Every structure is written in C-alpha cells, then in structure tokens.
Amino acid sequence: MNKEKRVKKVAKTAQKAIGTFNCTINELPELEATELLIILYGVFLDVANNLELDPDSLYFFMKESIGYTKTADGYALNFPSDLIQGDDE
C-alpha cells in the first residue's frame, strides 16, 4: 500500500477507534473523568506492551512527534502523516 493510501487508512481507523470509544462511554454515562482516564491508560499500557516500549518513552514520543492543536471545541490530534510509511518508501 502506498503512503497516501496508508495515511488515509490510518486516519479512517483512528476515527473509528475514537467513535467506538465514544459509543462505549455513552453506554456508561455515569463514568467519572478519572474512571475514563483509567480505561485510556489501560489501553495506552497495552499499546506500550505490544510495541515493547517503555510507557514513559512512548508518552514522550507521542507528545513530541504527534501533539495536538487547541480548537474552538477543545483539542484535536495533529495527525502525524510523516510518521506513516507506505510500500513506496
């Protein structure tokens, strides 16, 4: 898959993951913010384990390489298309 197609696929998958998480949250509207953070942190640690990375290193990599932008509605992910490689690279 070339880079352009892969970037689109990753962006689409990210949107699906966010949507799925939001649907899960809507099923349990009584969840407190701290409980949501526990769930997200569990997902983060699972990713770190799967990538065989130290969680602190993964966090700093995400913060430095991906980042976010403040928007009128809150914050938005800076989509890191430069971190995605296709077969043509």
Side-chain angles (χ1 to χ4, degrees):
M1 180 181 309
N2 70 25
K3 181 174 180 164
E4 183 179 337
K5 286 182 182 177
R6 185 149 182 91
V7 166
K8 287 179 183 177
K9 182 125 178 123
V10 170
K12 186 177 179 180
T13 302
Q15 281 301 109
K16 280 184 183 179
I18 292 166
T20 299
F21 187 75
N22 285 332
C23 286
T24 302
I25 291 169
N26 291 336
E27 290 178 17
L28 297 167
E30 69 278 1
L31 281 174
E32 300 290 329
T34 52
E35 295 166 329
L36 292 173
L37 288 173
I38 291 167
I39 294 166
L40 287 172
Y41 196 61
V43 170
F44 172 79
L45 289 175
D46 189 54
V47 169
N49 286 333
N50 287 334
L51 295 175
E52 298 179 359
L53 291 173
D54 171 69
D56 290 335
S57 298
L58 180 58
Y59 169 77
F60 287 116
F61 172 78
M62 290 182 341
K63 187 175 178 186
E64 295 292 320
S65 300
I66 300 172
Y68 59 88
T69 301
K70 181 143 179 63
T71 66
D73 298 329
Y75 296 92
L77 175 74
N78 290 340
F79 191 79
S81 59
D82 57 326
L83 295 177
I84 300 169
Q85 295 185 345
D87 294 337
D88 53 349
E89 293 184 82

